[in-house]
């Protein structure tokens, strides 16, 4: 059996949500390993065969998802289970739900990465568990960041059942 298939067979289907990984937002982030850690999450999602949703806050003004991530998902060897979705507000949960419903992506198992952990990441993750009964959401701390003191941001991150921040 192909090794990629065996990895997928062992993995529950899921959706990776990449929040606002646009240069405009990434520039001021404190986590120096942010880009490398998000790239690792994207690679893991591809290996597992998961869907990937790239949320972009007003890309016409703030630019699109940064090159290291976009390059993995586009071009001649592009990853077919990727969709870009623009959003106008901090909470991108409705956009994620719409993309998942339109494309048959998992609405029960999410991983969320990106910026800002104290704003867009938090609002999107919390809203996904509030809007989708039975959905579980894991926010990957090492693949998130913000532009102010991160420890405080994680301390005030809203707690919800079915939401894990680790």
């Amino acid at each position: 059996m192909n090794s990629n298939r065996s990895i997928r067979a062992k993995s529950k289907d899921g959706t990776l949500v990449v929040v606002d990984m646009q240069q405009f937002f990434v520039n001021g982030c404190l986590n120096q390993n942010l880009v490398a850690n998000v790239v690792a999450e994207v690679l893991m999602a591809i290996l597992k065969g998961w869907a990937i949703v790239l949320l972009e806050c007003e890309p016409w003004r703030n630019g699109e998802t940064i090159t290291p991530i976009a390059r993995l998902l586009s071009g001649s060897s592009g990853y077919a289970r990727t969709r870009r979705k623009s959003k106008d507000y901090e909470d991108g949960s409705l956009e994620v739900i719409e993309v998942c419903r339109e494309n048959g992506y998992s609405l029960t198992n999410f991983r969320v990465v990106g910026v800002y952990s104290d704003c867009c990441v938090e609002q999107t993750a919390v809203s996904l568990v509030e809007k989708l009964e039975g959905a579980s959401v894991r926010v990957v701390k090492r693949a998130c960041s913000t532009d102010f003191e991160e420890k405080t941001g994680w301390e005030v991150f809203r707690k919800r059942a079915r939401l894990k921040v680790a």
Side-chain angles (χ1 to χ4, degrees), residues 54-139:
L54 302 176
L55 277 179
E56 298 173 333
C57 183
E58 300 178 341
W60 53 91
R61 181 170 52 150
N62 300 315
E64 294 183 345
T65 299
I66 58 175
T67 302
I69 297 163
R71 188 181 312 132
L72 285 172
L73 301 170
S74 62
S76 60
S77 61
Y79 186 61
R81 296 193 76 203
T82 301
R83 296 292 179 271
R84 288 180 187 270
K85 187 70 175 175
S86 64
K87 64 184 183 83
D88 295 322
Y89 305 101
E90 289 86 5
D91 178 0
S93 63
L94 288 175
E95 290 82 355
V96 171
I97 293 167
E98 178 184 337
V99 168
C100 290
R101 286 190 173 138
E102 287 176 354
N103 295 281
Y105 296 165
S106 175
L107 284 162
T108 58
N109 186 26
F110 294 94
R111 284 176 78 89
V112 179
V113 301
V115 296
Y116 294 123
S117 52
D118 57 306
C119 183
C120 299
V121 168
E122 191 246 5
Q123 289 188 32
T124 300
V126 169
S127 293
L128 284 170
V129 296
E130 289 177 346
K131 292 174 180 164
L132 296 169
E133 187 176 323
S136 64
V137 176
R138 179 183 184 102
V139 176

